[in-house]
Amino acid sequence: SSGINAEYGYQAKDFTYDFFNDPTVQANLQVYSSNRQELVSWGNHEVKEVQAEIIPCNITSMDFFDKLTAPGLVRESGALYKCFDEDIDGFLVADELHRMLLTEESEHWEVYNEEERQELLFLLFKHLVLGGPVCQYDDKIDRYLEIAKGLYKELITVQKNSETKKIELISKVLKVSAWDGDICWFPGDEHHQTFCYLILNPVNRIVTVFSHDYGKGCW
């Protein structure tokens, strides 16, 4: 198993490097301009280094989030338990859900273990909850779960196993970035909410790019 993962990781980095250096990708990939308001073509870049992290994608049910109704985190009604306002990594945190996502000091941090926190569905949910610099947080969890579910279904490819008859996720997911020395050309500066995922559909040989550059576009 470890040998297979190592080989996939090697191929993932090669794929990411070829992807970002492809002229068609560079001509069509859009980024925010320097004034942070206008989407423009990424343009021609010679990407010299890439990072490619394999993101697990194994969750097939929204039951994965049932644990959020832990005492003191999310009420049965979906309302979020509030906490004293505090700044954590630049985010104004006013509820226990945000604390659980951002800091190990949260008493609810261990509701999800490190392996679960690496799952694509968890990462999508986290990105939606944290939002952008001018977003207004919801007081209930319902919308976060609804949109996370919709995004997940849109991004991921599934098929039924002919032997077990069970639904299986077949997409491969990479969290990637493109570099020239110490400069990250894409998706942008390091931040919780700056990210780029490549979702590979091995059946139709389609790559979906899902990215965000924190502070640009005013999310």
Side-chain angles (χ1 to χ4, degrees), residues 24 61 99:
T24 302
S61 170
R99 291 196 83 247

Side-chain angles (χ1 to χ4, degrees), residues 153-216:
K153 291 179 67 175
E154 184 72 21
L155 294 172
I156 297 305
T157 303
V158 301
Q159 70 178 14
K160 181 178 289 187
N161 186 300
S162 58
E163 296 181 0
T164 65
K165 306 302 181 184
K166 293 183 178 180
I167 297 296
E168 295 180 345
L169 307 180
I170 61 172
S171 296
K172 303 294 184 183
V173 183
L174 304 173
K175 186 176 183 180
V176 302
S177 56
W179 296 74
D180 179 9
D182 295 331
I183 301 174
C184 182
W185 273 347
F186 193 85
D189 296 334
E190 289 189 28
H191 190 278
H192 284 292
Q193 292 294 79
T194 294
F195 56 81
C196 177
Y197 298 102
L198 301 184
I199 298 94
L200 288 65
N201 180 334
V203 175
N204 297 330
R205 300 175 65 85
I206 293 174
V207 180
T208 300
V209 180
F210 182 64
S211 67
H212 179 250
D213 190 351
Y214 184 78
K216 298 182 179 179

